[in-house]
mmCIF file of all heavy atoms in Angstrom:
data_model
loop_
_atom_site.group_PDB
_atom_site.id
_atom_site.type_symbol
_atom_site.label_atom_id
_atom_site.label_comp_id
_atom_site.label_asym_id
_atom_site.label_seq_id
_atom_site.Cartn_x
_atom_site.Cartn_y
_atom_site.Cartn_z
ATOM 1 N N GLU A 1830 127.191 142.520 90.076
ATOM 2 C CA GLU A 1830 126.389 143.558 89.423
ATOM 3 C C GLU A 1830 126.478 144.867 90.220
ATOM 4 O O GLU A 1830 126.534 145.946 89.626
ATOM 5 C CB GLU A 1830 124.937 143.093 89.339
ATOM 6 C CG GLU A 1830 124.009 144.072 88.609
ATOM 7 C CD GLU A 1830 122.533 143.766 88.851
ATOM 8 O OE1 GLU A 1830 122.199 142.618 89.235
ATOM 9 O OE2 GLU A 1830 121.707 144.696 88.666
ATOM 10 N N HIS A 1831 126.527 144.734 91.526
ATOM 11 C CA HIS A 1831 126.537 145.947 92.360
ATOM 12 C C HIS A 1831 127.930 146.365 92.791
ATOM 13 O O HIS A 1831 128.082 147.121 93.764
ATOM 14 C CB HIS A 1831 125.599 145.757 93.569
ATOM 15 C CG HIS A 1831 124.180 145.757 93.159
ATOM 16 N ND1 HIS A 1831 123.532 144.617 92.733
ATOM 17 C CD2 HIS A 1831 123.275 146.762 93.035
ATOM 18 C CE1 HIS A 1831 122.284 144.912 92.387
ATOM 19 N NE2 HIS A 1831 122.118 146.212 92.556
ATOM 20 N N GLY A 1832 128.936 145.842 92.100
ATOM 21 C CA GLY A 1832 130.275 146.379 92.290
ATOM 22 C C GLY A 1832 131.067 145.795 93.441
ATOM 23 O O GLY A 1832 132.118 146.314 93.787
ATOM 24 N N SER A 1833 130.552 144.718 94.074
ATOM 25 C CA SER A 1833 131.388 144.121 95.114
ATOM 26 C C SER A 1833 131.867 142.725 94.727
ATOM 27 O O SER A 1833 132.019 141.855 95.600
ATOM 28 C CB SER A 1833 130.712 144.109 96.494
ATOM 29 O OG SER A 1833 129.364 144.471 96.368
ATOM 30 N N GLY A 1834 132.098 142.557 93.455
ATOM 31 C CA GLY A 1834 132.655 141.269 93.017
ATOM 32 C C GLY A 1834 134.151 141.170 93.345
ATOM 33 O O GLY A 1834 134.812 142.191 93.469
ATOM 34 N N ARG A 1835 134.584 139.929 93.504
ATOM 35 C CA ARG A 1835 136.016 139.711 93.725
ATOM 36 C C ARG A 1835 136.584 139.092 92.482
ATOM 37 O O ARG A 1835 135.891 138.408 91.735
ATOM 38 C CB ARG A 1835 136.238 138.749 94.897
ATOM 39 C CG ARG A 1835 135.628 139.175 96.221
ATOM 40 C CD ARG A 1835 135.661 138.034 97.243
ATOM 41 N NE ARG A 1835 134.913 136.873 96.751
ATOM 42 C CZ ARG A 1835 134.903 135.678 97.335
ATOM 43 N NH1 ARG A 1835 135.684 135.473 98.388
ATOM 44 N NH2 ARG A 1835 134.191 134.683 96.871
ATOM 45 N N GLU A 1836 137.861 139.226 92.326
ATOM 46 C CA GLU A 1836 138.549 138.658 91.195
ATOM 47 C C GLU A 1836 138.215 137.163 91.057
ATOM 48 O O GLU A 1836 137.897 136.663 89.988
ATOM 49 C CB GLU A 1836 140.065 138.820 91.363
ATOM 50 C CG GLU A 1836 140.847 138.744 90.090
ATOM 51 C CD GLU A 1836 141.221 140.152 89.570
ATOM 52 O OE1 GLU A 1836 141.161 141.126 90.356
ATOM 53 O OE2 GLU A 1836 141.564 140.223 88.395
ATOM 54 N N MET A 1837 138.299 136.483 92.200
ATOM 55 C CA MET A 1837 138.094 135.032 92.177
ATOM 56 C C MET A 1837 136.660 134.623 91.845
ATOM 57 O O MET A 1837 136.387 133.483 91.535
ATOM 58 C CB MET A 1837 138.488 134.415 93.530
ATOM 59 C CG MET A 1837 137.578 134.809 94.678
ATOM 60 S SD MET A 1837 137.893 133.886 96.227
ATOM 61 C CE MET A 1837 137.198 132.278 95.853
ATOM 62 N N ASP A 1838 135.739 135.566 91.910
ATOM 63 C CA ASP A 1838 134.338 135.202 91.687
ATOM 64 C C ASP A 1838 134.078 134.699 90.263
ATOM 65 O O ASP A 1838 133.173 133.926 90.033
ATOM 66 C CB ASP A 1838 133.423 136.421 91.967
ATOM 67 C CG ASP A 1838 133.284 136.683 93.461
ATOM 68 O OD1 ASP A 1838 133.483 135.725 94.244
ATOM 69 O OD2 ASP A 1838 133.019 137.828 93.833
ATOM 70 N N LEU A 1839 134.909 135.185 89.315
ATOM 71 C CA LEU A 1839 134.678 134.777 87.933
ATOM 72 C C LEU A 1839 134.885 133.265 87.787
ATOM 73 O O LEU A 1839 134.039 132.540 87.214
ATOM 74 C CB LEU A 1839 135.571 135.558 86.981
ATOM 75 C CG LEU A 1839 134.979 136.849 86.463
ATOM 76 C CD1 LEU A 1839 134.694 137.838 87.573
ATOM 77 C CD2 LEU A 1839 135.873 137.494 85.436
ATOM 78 N N ASP A 1840 135.979 132.797 88.343
ATOM 79 C CA ASP A 1840 136.221 131.332 88.298
ATOM 80 C C ASP A 1840 135.243 130.607 89.194
ATOM 81 O O ASP A 1840 134.767 129.499 88.855
ATOM 82 C CB ASP A 1840 137.654 131.009 88.780
ATOM 83 C CG ASP A 1840 138.663 131.436 87.730
ATOM 84 O OD1 ASP A 1840 138.284 131.559 86.558
ATOM 85 O OD2 ASP A 1840 139.839 131.637 88.105
ATOM 86 N N LEU A 1841 134.948 131.222 90.315
ATOM 87 C CA LEU A 1841 134.040 130.575 91.251
ATOM 88 C C LEU A 1841 132.663 130.401 90.638
ATOM 89 O O LEU A 1841 132.027 129.333 90.785
ATOM 90 C CB LEU A 1841 133.950 131.430 92.522
ATOM 91 C CG LEU A 1841 133.239 130.797 93.731
ATOM 92 C CD1 LEU A 1841 133.827 129.437 94.067
ATOM 93 C CD2 LEU A 1841 133.314 131.711 94.946
ATOM 94 N N LEU A 1842 132.195 131.407 89.927
ATOM 95 C CA LEU A 1842 130.913 131.281 89.232
ATOM 96 C C LEU A 1842 130.885 130.024 88.362
ATOM 97 O O LEU A 1842 129.926 129.251 88.381
ATOM 98 C CB LEU A 1842 130.680 132.486 88.314
ATOM 99 C CG LEU A 1842 130.066 133.747 88.909
ATOM 100 C CD1 LEU A 1842 130.043 134.839 87.833
ATOM 101 C CD2 LEU A 1842 128.658 133.499 89.417
ATOM 102 N N LEU A 1843 131.944 129.841 87.621
ATOM 103 C CA LEU A 1843 131.976 128.691 86.720
ATOM 104 C C LEU A 1843 132.170 127.397 87.458
ATOM 105 O O LEU A 1843 131.574 126.369 87.091
ATOM 106 C CB LEU A 1843 133.106 128.885 85.693
ATOM 107 C CG LEU A 1843 132.782 129.894 84.582
ATOM 108 C CD1 LEU A 1843 133.996 130.092 83.689
ATOM 109 C CD2 LEU A 1843 131.581 129.464 83.753
ATOM 110 N N ASP A 1844 132.934 127.423 88.531
ATOM 111 C CA ASP A 1844 133.173 126.185 89.245
ATOM 112 C C ASP A 1844 131.919 125.738 90.010
ATOM 113 O O ASP A 1844 131.565 124.554 90.006
ATOM 114 C CB ASP A 1844 134.356 126.324 90.216
ATOM 115 C CG ASP A 1844 134.835 124.958 90.665
ATOM 116 O OD1 ASP A 1844 135.039 124.069 89.802
ATOM 117 O OD2 ASP A 1844 134.975 124.738 91.895
ATOM 118 N N VAL A 1845 131.251 126.683 90.636
ATOM 119 C CA VAL A 1845 129.987 126.342 91.298
ATOM 120 C C VAL A 1845 128.983 125.832 90.258
ATOM 121 O O VAL A 1845 128.288 124.840 90.482
ATOM 122 C CB VAL A 1845 129.424 127.530 92.093
ATOM 123 C CG1 VAL A 1845 128.020 127.255 92.574
ATOM 124 C CG2 VAL A 1845 130.337 127.885 93.271
ATOM 125 N N SER A 1846 128.953 126.495 89.118
ATOM 126 C CA SER A 1846 128.090 126.041 88.017
ATOM 127 C C SER A 1846 128.426 124.637 87.618
ATOM 128 O O SER A 1846 127.553 123.786 87.402
ATOM 129 C CB SER A 1846 128.225 126.957 86.804
ATOM 130 O OG SER A 1846 127.827 128.258 87.135
ATOM 131 N N ASP A 1847 129.709 124.363 87.538
ATOM 132 C CA ASP A 1847 130.170 123.034 87.156
ATOM 133 C C ASP A 1847 129.752 121.974 88.159
ATOM 134 O O ASP A 1847 129.516 120.821 87.794
ATOM 135 C CB ASP A 1847 131.696 123.068 86.989
ATOM 136 C CG ASP A 1847 132.219 121.773 86.379
ATOM 137 O OD1 ASP A 1847 132.031 121.602 85.157
ATOM 138 O OD2 ASP A 1847 132.746 120.934 87.146
ATOM 139 N N ASN A 1848 129.642 122.375 89.406
ATOM 140 C CA ASN A 1848 129.182 121.411 90.413
ATOM 141 C C ASN A 1848 127.689 121.147 90.346
ATOM 142 O O ASN A 1848 127.178 120.216 90.966
ATOM 143 C CB ASN A 1848 129.583 121.894 91.824
ATOM 144 C CG ASN A 1848 131.066 121.709 92.068
ATOM 145 O OD1 ASN A 1848 131.723 120.911 91.398
ATOM 146 N ND2 ASN A 1848 131.589 122.476 93.028
ATOM 147 N N ILE A 1849 126.997 121.991 89.625
ATOM 148 C CA ILE A 1849 125.565 121.741 89.416
ATOM 149 C C ILE A 1849 125.377 121.012 88.097
ATOM 150 O O ILE A 1849 124.542 120.125 87.959
ATOM 151 C CB ILE A 1849 124.769 123.074 89.374
ATOM 152 C CG1 ILE A 1849 124.975 123.868 90.681
ATOM 153 C CG2 ILE A 1849 123.285 122.829 89.133
ATOM 154 C CD1 ILE A 1849 124.375 125.249 90.653
ATOM 155 N N SER A 1850 126.193 121.387 87.106
ATOM 156 C CA SER A 1850 126.068 120.834 85.787
ATOM 157 C C SER A 1850 127.457 120.522 85.239
ATOM 158 O O SER A 1850 128.045 121.322 84.533
ATOM 159 C CB SER A 1850 125.360 121.869 84.897
ATOM 160 O OG SER A 1850 125.176 121.371 83.608
ATOM 161 N N PRO A 1851 127.970 119.340 85.609
ATOM 162 C CA PRO A 1851 129.354 119.019 85.308
ATOM 163 C C PRO A 1851 129.678 119.130 83.808
ATOM 164 O O PRO A 1851 128.916 118.625 82.979
ATOM 165 C CB PRO A 1851 129.508 117.570 85.774
ATOM 166 C CG PRO A 1851 128.433 117.381 86.774
ATOM 167 C CD PRO A 1851 127.282 118.243 86.336
ATOM 168 N N GLY A 1852 130.748 119.827 83.515
ATOM 169 C CA GLY A 1852 131.164 119.952 82.117
ATOM 170 C C GLY A 1852 130.556 121.148 81.423
ATOM 171 O O GLY A 1852 131.001 121.535 80.347
ATOM 172 N N LEU A 1853 129.510 121.727 82.034
ATOM 173 C CA LEU A 1853 128.876 122.927 81.481
ATOM 174 C C LEU A 1853 128.527 122.793 80.004
ATOM 175 O O LEU A 1853 128.809 123.651 79.186
ATOM 176 C CB LEU A 1853 129.755 124.173 81.723
ATOM 177 C CG LEU A 1853 130.091 124.411 83.194
ATOM 178 C CD1 LEU A 1853 131.051 125.611 83.356
ATOM 179 C CD2 LEU A 1853 128.828 124.666 84.017
ATOM 180 N N ARG A 1854 127.916 121.636 79.660
ATOM 181 C CA ARG A 1854 127.492 121.417 78.273
ATOM 182 C C ARG A 1854 125.995 121.714 78.156
ATOM 183 O O ARG A 1854 125.304 121.915 79.148
ATOM 184 C CB ARG A 1854 127.668 119.946 77.898
ATOM 185 C CG ARG A 1854 129.000 119.343 78.173
ATOM 186 C CD ARG A 1854 129.003 117.905 77.613
ATOM 187 N NE ARG A 1854 128.218 116.989 78.420
ATOM 188 C CZ ARG A 1854 128.695 116.328 79.475
ATOM 189 N NH1 ARG A 1854 129.943 116.526 79.856
ATOM 190 N NH2 ARG A 1854 127.934 115.484 80.156
ATOM 191 N N TRP A 1855 125.527 121.679 76.921
ATOM 192 C CA TRP A 1855 124.073 121.699 76.698
ATOM 193 C C TRP A 1855 123.740 120.677 75.642
ATOM 194 O O TRP A 1855 124.385 120.691 74.610
ATOM 195 C CB TRP A 1855 123.585 123.098 76.295
ATOM 196 C CG TRP A 1855 122.106 123.139 76.437
ATOM 197 C CD1 TRP A 1855 121.177 122.862 75.479
ATOM 198 C CD2 TRP A 1855 121.371 123.461 77.618
ATOM 199 N NE1 TRP A 1855 119.906 122.962 76.007
ATOM 200 C CE2 TRP A 1855 119.996 123.323 77.328
ATOM 201 C CE3 TRP A 1855 121.725 123.790 78.938
ATOM 202 C CZ2 TRP A 1855 118.998 123.541 78.272
ATOM 203 C CZ3 TRP A 1855 120.731 124.013 79.852
ATOM 204 C CH2 TRP A 1855 119.394 123.899 79.530
ATOM 205 N N PRO A 1856 122.804 119.773 75.806
ATOM 206 C CA PRO A 1856 121.997 119.595 77.010
ATOM 207 C C PRO A 1856 122.872 119.203 78.200
ATOM 208 O O PRO A 1856 123.885 118.547 78.019
ATOM 209 C CB PRO A 1856 121.029 118.475 76.640
ATOM 210 C CG PRO A 1856 121.544 117.835 75.405
ATOM 211 C CD PRO A 1856 122.456 118.821 74.734
ATOM 212 N N PRO A 1857 122.442 119.629 79.352
ATOM 213 C CA PRO A 1857 123.345 119.588 80.509
ATOM 214 C C PRO A 1857 123.512 118.198 81.110
ATOM 215 O O PRO A 1857 122.587 117.402 81.138
ATOM 216 C CB PRO A 1857 122.643 120.489 81.529
ATOM 217 C CG PRO A 1857 121.196 120.427 81.163
ATOM 218 C CD PRO A 1857 121.138 120.219 79.689
ATOM 219 N N ALA A 1858 124.732 117.933 81.604
ATOM 220 C CA ALA A 1858 124.904 116.857 82.554
ATOM 221 C C ALA A 1858 124.414 117.417 83.882
ATOM 222 O O ALA A 1858 124.444 118.611 84.107
ATOM 223 C CB ALA A 1858 126.374 116.483 82.653
ATOM 224 N N MET A 1859 123.938 116.540 84.757
ATOM 225 C CA MET A 1859 123.299 117.079 85.970
ATOM 226 C C MET A 1859 123.783 116.345 87.222
ATOM 227 O O MET A 1859 123.960 115.138 87.215
ATOM 228 C CB MET A 1859 121.770 116.895 85.893
ATOM 229 C CG MET A 1859 121.156 117.124 84.506
ATOM 230 S SD MET A 1859 119.428 117.471 84.563
ATOM 231 C CE MET A 1859 118.741 115.920 85.121
ATOM 232 N N THR A 1860 123.929 117.104 88.282
ATOM 233 C CA THR A 1860 124.096 116.466 89.592
ATOM 234 C C THR A 1860 122.779 116.533 90.329
ATOM 235 O O THR A 1860 122.718 116.332 91.532
ATOM 236 C CB THR A 1860 125.189 117.172 90.442
ATOM 237 O OG1 THR A 1860 124.812 118.534 90.595
ATOM 238 C CG2 THR A 1860 126.542 117.089 89.758
ATOM 239 N N THR A 1861 121.709 116.829 89.622
ATOM 240 C CA THR A 1861 120.409 117.046 90.238
ATOM 241 C C THR A 1861 119.368 116.064 89.701
ATOM 242 O O THR A 1861 119.618 115.316 88.773
ATOM 243 C CB THR A 1861 119.929 118.462 89.929
ATOM 244 O OG1 THR A 1861 120.002 118.639 88.499
ATOM 245 C CG2 THR A 1861 120.770 119.518 90.597
ATOM 246 N N ILE A 1862 118.189 116.136 90.264
ATOM 247 C CA ILE A 1862 117.095 115.240 89.822
ATOM 248 C C ILE A 1862 116.496 115.743 88.535
ATOM 249 O O ILE A 1862 116.232 114.978 87.611
ATOM 250 C CB ILE A 1862 116.012 115.137 90.938
ATOM 251 C CG1 ILE A 1862 116.591 114.409 92.146
ATOM 252 C CG2 ILE A 1862 114.771 114.434 90.415
ATOM 253 C CD1 ILE A 1862 115.667 114.377 93.360
ATOM 254 N N CYS A 1863 116.231 117.061 88.485
ATOM 255 C CA CYS A 1863 115.582 117.594 87.294
ATOM 256 C C CYS A 1863 116.454 118.688 86.697
ATOM 257 O O CYS A 1863 117.424 119.102 87.304
ATOM 258 C CB CYS A 1863 114.175 118.124 87.650
ATOM 259 S SG CYS A 1863 114.137 119.855 88.129
ATOM 260 N N PRO A 1864 116.139 119.143 85.499
ATOM 261 C CA PRO A 1864 117.038 120.128 84.869
ATOM 262 C C PRO A 1864 116.915 121.555 85.377
ATOM 263 O O PRO A 1864 117.577 122.440 84.828
ATOM 264 C CB PRO A 1864 116.620 120.073 83.398
ATOM 265 C CG PRO A 1864 115.618 118.993 83.282
ATOM 266 C CD PRO A 1864 115.082 118.706 84.618
ATOM 267 N N LEU A 1865 116.103 121.803 86.420
ATOM 268 C CA LEU A 1865 115.994 123.206 86.867
ATOM 269 C C LEU A 1865 117.336 123.736 87.335
ATOM 270 O O LEU A 1865 117.754 124.826 86.953
ATOM 271 C CB LEU A 1865 114.940 123.357 87.958
ATOM 272 C CG LEU A 1865 114.691 124.804 88.383
ATOM 273 C CD1 LEU A 1865 113.225 125.013 88.765
ATOM 274 C CD2 LEU A 1865 115.588 125.280 89.500
ATOM 275 N N GLY A 1866 118.002 122.985 88.166
ATOM 276 C CA GLY A 1866 119.300 123.451 88.687
ATOM 277 C C GLY A 1866 120.266 123.750 87.562
ATOM 278 O O GLY A 1866 120.780 124.875 87.453
ATOM 279 N N PRO A 1867 120.487 122.798 86.661
ATOM 280 C CA PRO A 1867 121.381 123.041 85.540
ATOM 281 C C PRO A 1867 120.905 124.204 84.645
ATOM 282 O O PRO A 1867 121.737 124.881 84.036
ATOM 283 C CB PRO A 1867 121.348 121.710 84.771
ATOM 284 C CG PRO A 1867 121.053 120.688 85.830
ATOM 285 C CD PRO A 1867 120.137 121.365 86.782
ATOM 286 N N SER A 1868 119.602 124.450 84.571
ATOM 287 C CA SER A 1868 119.128 125.545 83.756
ATOM 288 C C SER A 1868 119.632 126.880 84.294
ATOM 289 O O SER A 1868 119.898 127.809 83.537
ATOM 290 C CB SER A 1868 117.589 125.606 83.757
ATOM 291 O OG SER A 1868 117.094 124.435 83.115
ATOM 292 N N ALA A 1869 119.788 126.940 85.597
ATOM 293 C CA ALA A 1869 120.235 128.200 86.197
ATOM 294 C C ALA A 1869 121.656 128.523 85.788
ATOM 295 O O ALA A 1869 122.118 129.672 85.976
ATOM 296 C CB ALA A 1869 120.133 128.094 87.729
ATOM 297 N N VAL A 1870 122.340 127.548 85.254
ATOM 298 C CA VAL A 1870 123.709 127.732 84.881
ATOM 299 C C VAL A 1870 123.827 128.377 83.478
ATOM 300 O O VAL A 1870 124.816 129.041 83.184
ATOM 301 C CB VAL A 1870 124.408 126.351 84.946
ATOM 302 C CG1 VAL A 1870 125.710 126.339 84.199
ATOM 303 C CG2 VAL A 1870 124.575 125.902 86.404
ATOM 304 N N SER A 1871 122.780 128.213 82.674
ATOM 305 C CA SER A 1871 122.829 128.722 81.307
ATOM 306 C C SER A 1871 123.208 130.205 81.200
ATOM 307 O O SER A 1871 124.103 130.540 80.407
ATOM 308 C CB SER A 1871 121.474 128.520 80.614
ATOM 309 O OG SER A 1871 121.255 127.139 80.419
ATOM 310 N N PRO A 1872 122.571 131.079 81.967
ATOM 311 C CA PRO A 1872 122.956 132.475 81.838
ATOM 312 C C PRO A 1872 124.426 132.697 82.198
ATOM 313 O O PRO A 1872 125.088 133.564 81.616
ATOM 314 C CB PRO A 1872 122.067 133.199 82.847
ATOM 315 C CG PRO A 1872 121.002 132.248 83.214
ATOM 316 C CD PRO A 1872 121.473 130.874 82.899
#
Side-chain angles (χ1 to χ4, degrees):
Chain A
E1830 183 195 340
H1831 289 86
S1833 9
R1835 302 169 299 171
E1836 202 100 17
M1837 67 172 285
D1838 286 336
L1839 271 61
D1840 287 339
L1841 190 53
L1842 274 176
L1843 284 175
D1844 195 49
V1845 171
S1846 298
D1847 189 75
N1848 285 339
I1849 302 174
S1850 182
L1853 303 177
R1854 309 185 287 273
W1855 195 269
M1859 322 200 293
T1860 59
T1861 52
I1862 293 174
C1863 90
L1865 185 146
S1868 295
V1870 163
S1871 292

